[in-house]
Amino acid sequence: MDKVLLSHGGGGTMMERLIEEVFAKTFDNEYLNAMEDAALLFGNITLTTDSFTVKPIFFPGGDIGRLAVCGTVNDASMRGAKPLFLTCAFIIEEGYPIEELRRIVKSMAEAAEEAGVKIVAGDTKVVEKGGVDGIFINTSGIGVVYENADVSIKNARPGDVVLISGTIGDHGMAIMSAREELQFDPPILSDVSPLNKLIEKLMTLGKAVKVLRDPTRGGVAEVLYEISKMSGVGIKIYEDKLPVKASVKSACDLMGFDFLHLANEGKLIAVVDRKYADEALEIMKSDKYGKDAAIIGEVNDSKLVTIDTFYGTSRIIDRPIGELLPRIC
């Protein structure tokens, strides 16, 4: 590894290697080494940060502004926390249209209002033409862990049940179709949305909710591998239980993609104590962002990530190496 490649930012094994060998090894502290979506500070404060370089900036179902707010709200929530405040930083290319900047900022304000968070600090940098592609945004978020919550990627245990809050691969395929100018009927829209209010309802189950993770870059497959590795368990999912829109599945079949590798920006995977699985599913379905939720699998002690197929066979799920498409978020 002597140069950074686009695939190093894709959320798969190459990105994991870059983080472990360059960043984690050098910064080396107990908060970072936990490798959670958000660092847990002082016992109940979550802190997270993310940068957004999506192309195109405006895409079916959203834009970079909504993405920047929802992405960080969701990451701040994934330790079982209520997100409260965000910061935002803009890097803008000289000559970028002010009217488009206004649209993006307005979209951020609307997403923040929907999530119930406040954007309380920011920074703006303008670079020469060609220094960036239009506009890049960084957002950071801080939250407070709900009482009685104990959510960590290390908490999955054999016998637990795996749920997903909705259909898989919508964001990745929406970006892909926009960039490649592909037309689908009905159109494929990004699922970008804030999940914090769904999580607030879910956390009424307390410690029965063991793991929360949003399957963004690398998709569902990457998150299952991360849970398997960090918890030291195996995970089996069922192909006939996976919620996938027909249009997304058709597009994947057409282009040879696995929807399990596509990015999502408005979905979460939850690992829940089996005794509370049906209740967790009911709670998810009661929220507008969880109406297509499903129980998709279970945790075992095999230390493998596998899928039981439609044909009655079982296979190991391929782990993504890098994102199928760069600049997906």
Side-chain angles (χ1 to χ4, degrees):
M1 186 171 63
D2 56 355
K3 290 183 179 178
V4 175
L5 306 175
L6 277 173
S7 50
H8 280 119
T13 55
M14 289 186 69
M15 185 172 176
E16 180 183 75
R17 185 179 167 198
L18 181 73
I19 291 171
E20 288 180 350
E21 294 186 9
V22 178
F23 301 114
K25 187 176 180 181
T26 307
F27 295 145
D28 189 28
N29 63 71
E30 66 272 30
Y31 305 104
L32 185 63
N33 294 345
M35 293 294 174
E36 302 276 1
D37 275 343
L40 183 63
L41 310 174
F42 310 114
N44 69 338
I45 304 295
T46 60
L47 177 64
T48 189
T49 190
D50 207 344
S51 297
F52 298 87
T53 64
V54 65
K55 182 180 182 179
I57 291 170
F58 298 92
F59 50 83
D63 56 66
I64 193 171
R66 180 171 175 82
L67 187 63
V69 170
C70 294
T72 294
V73 162
N74 293 343
D75 279 349
S77 305
M78 293 298 156
R79 293 298 299 270
K82 180 183 180 68
L84 297 175
F85 302 107
L86 302 187
T87 69
C88 62
F90 296 85
I91 301 176
I92 309 169
E93 182 183 24
E94 177 187 23
Y96 191 74
I98 289 290
E99 188 53 37
E100 288 196 9
L101 181 59
R102 290 187 193 280
R103 280 180 63 190
I104 292 167
V105 173
K106 183 172 184 289
S107 180
M108 293 179 75
E110 290 171 350
E113 182 176 1
E114 180 183 357
V117 300
K118 294 185 184 299
I119 299 174
V120 295
D123 180 57
T124 304
K125 297 288 191 298
V126 179
V127 299
E128 70 278 10
K129 193 157 188 66
V132 296
D133 186 6
I135 183 169
F136 294 165
I137 302 175
N138 173 273
T139 46
S140 298
I142 192 167
V144 177
V145 175
Y146 290 104
E147 192 172 350
N148 295 324
D150 180 17
V151 177
S152 168
I153 196 168
K154 300 181 179 69
N155 285 353
R157 295 292 180 269
D160 292 338
V161 171
V162 182
L163 298 91
I164 191 163
S165 62
T167 53
I168 299 169
D170 299 356
H171 178 74
M173 193 50 72
I175 297 295
M176 199 169 297
S177 61
R179 201 180 297 179
E180 302 301 323
E181 299 183 345
L182 302 174
Q183 303 292 324
F184 295 97
D185 185 18
I188 298 174
L189 304 179
S190 169
D191 58 351
V192 56
S193 53
L195 299 174
N196 56 311
K197 293 184 179 177
L198 187 159
I199 290 174
E200 183 173 5
K201 297 174 187 174
L202 207 53
M203 293 317 301
T204 59
L205 297 178
K207 294 179 181 177
V209 180
K210 299 185 173 184
V211 181
L212 294 172
R213 203 80 166 182
D214 53 342
T216 55
R217 288 172 295 174
V220 169
E222 177 62 19
V223 163
L224 296 179
Y225 269 96
E226 290 173 356
I227 296 170
S228 171
K229 177 182 176 181
M230 299 301 289
S231 290
V233 297
I235 296 176
K236 177 170 68 175
I237 61 173
Y238 303 100
E239 189 170 18
D240 62 345
K241 304 294 185 187
L242 299 176
V244 188
K245 289 177 180 169
S247 53
V248 171
K249 189 169 187 313
S250 296
C252 285
D253 291 343
L254 182 67
M255 291 185 272
F257 294 140
D258 185 342
F259 55 78
L260 291 173
H261 292 175
L262 292 179
N264 310 267
E265 291 292 343
K267 301 296 171 359
L268 67 83
I269 288 177
V271 177
V272 176
D273 186 315
R274 181 179 293 274
K275 289 184 292 186
Y276 296 88
D278 290 339
E279 194 173 348
L281 181 63
E282 186 177 339
I283 289 171
M284 282 188 177
K285 284 181 171 291
S286 71
D287 188 276
K288 65 177 179 178
Y289 292 129
K291 60 184 176 59
D292 296 317
I295 295 173
I296 62 169
E298 57 190 77
V299 180
N300 56 44
D301 60 4
S302 70
K303 299 191 177 180
L304 300 174
V305 179
T306 61
I307 182 169
D308 281 5
T309 70
F310 288 122
Y311 309 106
T313 60
S314 179
R315 65 172 174 84
I316 293 175
I317 296 174
D318 295 329
R319 187 175 186 185
I321 298 172
E323 180 55 65
L324 299 172
L325 194 68
R327 296 181 59 184
I328 202 84
C329 59

